[in-house]
Amino acid sequence: FSMNSPRLVASIVVRDGLHVQSFGFRTYLPVGSPVESAREFDRWGVDEIALVLLDSDLQANRRLVSEVSAAIAVPLAAIGGIRSIADARAYIAGGADKIGFNTALVENPALVHEASRIFGEQCVVASIDLVRQGARFVRWDYWKKNASNMESVAWIREVEQMGAGEILLNFPEKDGAGGGMDVEAIQQAAASTNLPLVAVGGIGTTAHAA
């Protein structure tokens, strides 16, 4: 769900080549073909699809981006697995309208800068994982499965400087639970940036989205 210009975004998490249901970014249950899931979401009337690629097989990722893009009419954001500008070009050539970074934001911000310069800020999505620590919200590391000391507002400002044109907020503690998102974290993030903001994970009812 996007705060600035309301959109309904379907997130398809891909692991071992399959669309999976993620629970807390730790447990994954198979759903089926990412391409078929994308077709169904397109039929259901979503405004955009975010393909979240957890696999390290670059060729498989590139092929899947092309297959999903060919199967849908709505815009596609391909997030994850980008280790070079060549990877980013391959995703875009395959039909991705946007490319997203998560680990690279920490480990290789120069790559994000370069992607923004070459393809434009509107093409670059910063995927941020946040967890609550008391009254604070801090960046969470997907691969290390732990929290950092970087507070959400400071991290959002950093990724803005990298050239991100959109922010995707993920909530590992809410992921797959269907109990709603962390509204306070979303409000705090929205107040700290003018970039389009998309929040993912935790929605179990239409009231949660509202």
Side-chain angles (χ1 to χ4, degrees), residues 35-57:
V35 177
E36 290 306 312
S37 294
R39 284 198 181 102
E40 287 302 309
F41 281 129
D42 195 4
R43 291 191 192 107
W44 294 344
V46 300
D47 298 302
E48 185 174 325
I49 290 174
L51 193 63
V52 182
L53 301 158
L54 302 184
D55 293 338
S56 59
D57 187 331

Side-chain angles (χ1 to χ4, degrees), residues 16 39 41 72-73 93 101 104 127 141 143 162 179-180 187 203 208:
D16 296 331
R39 284 198 181 102
F41 281 129
I72 62 176
F101 301 89
S127 177
D141 189 304
W143 295 109
M162 292 178 203
Q187 290 173 330
I203 289 180
H208 293 153

Side-chain angles (χ1 to χ4, degrees), residues 98-181:
K98 300 174 187 175
I99 50 174
F101 301 89
N102 187 307
T103 302
L105 297 172
V106 179
E107 297 183 354
N108 193 4
L111 173 60
V112 184
H113 275 291
E114 186 70 357
S116 176
R117 184 187 69 79
I118 293 172
F119 306 113
E121 290 184 359
Q122 80 290 339
C123 189
V124 175
V125 179
S127 177
I128 296 176
D129 304 327
L130 297 179
V131 295
R132 180 186 282 270
Q133 284 189 343
R136 303 191 314 155
F137 301 97
V138 299
R139 178 175 60 79
W140 189 77
D141 189 304
Y142 171 80
W143 295 109
K144 295 178 182 177
K145 297 291 190 286
N146 62 19
S148 72
N149 289 321
M150 175 66 75
E151 293 198 33
S152 60
V153 171
W155 186 226
I156 286 170
R157 288 173 180 159
E158 279 201 26
V159 301
E160 284 180 330
Q161 293 300 311
M162 292 178 203
E166 183 172 302
I167 293 174
L168 180 75
L169 290 181
N170 304 291
F171 301 100
E173 295 167 315
K174 303 288 186 178
D175 180 52
M181 295 181 176

